[in-house]
Each structure stands twice: as structure tokens, then as C-alpha cells.
Amino acid sequence: METIPRIVVETCLRNDGTPSIYVLVIRRGIPPDLIENRITKIIGDCSSKPDQDSIVLPNWPFDDTYCFAWPHPHRFSLLPDAKELPAHWKISSKIAASLYQKYNTLFPSKQRKQLGIQRFDPLPGGEKVYVQILPLAPHTLQTSEGSR
């Protein structure tokens, strides 16, 4: 099973009552050209005010991290008994709502056609994709080459 760090930016219930989440992917390094204008930098403690395209996570160990959604936040279902987990790093509900709004804005139709973008539907027919959520903490991050 592959573990990909993500930020949960929205929680909701599907029409059938199944809990679901919308997430952004967290990556390290230089973002690909295709998404470089649709990223949000993640920075640790800083002495100056971060720019509007950054979020601050105190004690975040990396300086080359960003989050993104391409072309929009991905939606996953949770098992009905899923519980909120304690988080080492947590963004405020205001920042989460801002990120959700920023990344849930669809590209203009002309640009979508040029880039070949369609709405993300992981399975045909709108079937649900279930995920297991694990807390992201310093001990779960790799800090050498091959880092997540």
C-alpha cells in the first residue's frame, strides 16, 4: 500500500451518508511546470509574514515542500466508523476552507481543453474509493534522500 502525504481541506457526507474528504497532495522538490502556478508552499517557522501562496506549519522540517491539487481536490470516502486522529501539524479551518476554494476552482473551459483536464473520477460510474487515514508526524517522515 502506498502512503502519500496529503492535507485534508474539506470533510462532508455523501448523499448516502458515507463520510468523505477532499485532499491536496503534499510533495517535495521543484513542482512540474504544469502546476507551478497552482501550488501552495508549506513552510516552517518564519520571522516574516508568509506570502498569500504559503501556509505555515510550526516545526515543519522541510523548506522545499508544497501542496497542490490537479486539477482540483480529490475526493475519497471513509469507512463509517472513521474517527478524527490527533495531528502533529494542523491547519486552521479558515486556511482549509481557503485552500479548498482555491483548488476547487475549475480552469476556464478553453484551458481545460488545451490541458486535457477532466473532472477526477477514480472509478467509472462514480464508485467510491476508500482510504485509510494515518497521522503525519515527525517520526513518519523520511528526512534523507528519497524523502516523502
Side-chain angles (χ1 to χ4, degrees):
M1 171 172 73
E2 183 179 14
T3 301
I4 299 174
R6 299 177 191 266
I7 295 176
V8 176
V9 293
E10 179 71 12
T11 60
C12 59
L13 294 176
R14 291 181 176 265
N15 292 337
D16 66 0
T18 303
S20 66
I21 56 173
Y22 287 89
V23 298
L24 305 179
V25 175
I26 298 174
R27 290 280 188 251
R28 291 189 62 202
I30 300 170
D33 292 341
L34 188 62
I35 65 165
E36 72 179 331
N37 65 345
R38 288 196 43 101
I39 68 161
T40 300
K41 297 174 198 163
I42 301 173
I43 56 177
D45 299 321
C46 64
S47 55
S48 60
K49 184 178 178 183
D51 64 35
Q52 67 181 17
D53 289 325
S54 298
I55 57 174
V56 177
L57 294 176
N59 300 314
W60 183 253
F62 306 115
D63 60 3
D64 62 345
T65 315
Y66 60 94
C67 64
F68 72 99
W70 182 255
H72 52 82
H74 294 168
R75 182 180 192 177
F76 297 102
S77 295
L78 302 174
L79 295 173
D81 61 349
K83 303 212 180 341
E84 186 172 337
L85 299 171
H88 185 83
W89 294 288
K90 191 170 186 173
I91 59 173
S92 70
S93 56
K94 182 179 176 180
I95 291 173
S98 173
L99 289 170
Y100 178 75
Q101 183 176 8
K102 173 183 177 177
Y103 290 104
N104 204 37
T105 303
L106 287 178
F107 290 89
S109 63
K110 182 179 179 182
Q111 191 176 9
R112 284 197 314 266
K113 286 179 184 175
Q114 289 173 337
L115 297 172
I117 297 172
Q118 298 176 2
R119 290 294 292 178
F120 176 75
D121 187 6
L123 296 174
E127 295 177 37
K128 299 173 194 161
V129 174
Y130 287 86
V131 294
Q132 178 183 17
I133 297 179
L134 303 171
L136 187 62
H139 70 278
T140 63
L141 294 174
Q142 297 173 355
T143 56
S144 59
E145 277 192 40
S147 300
R148 295 180 189 173

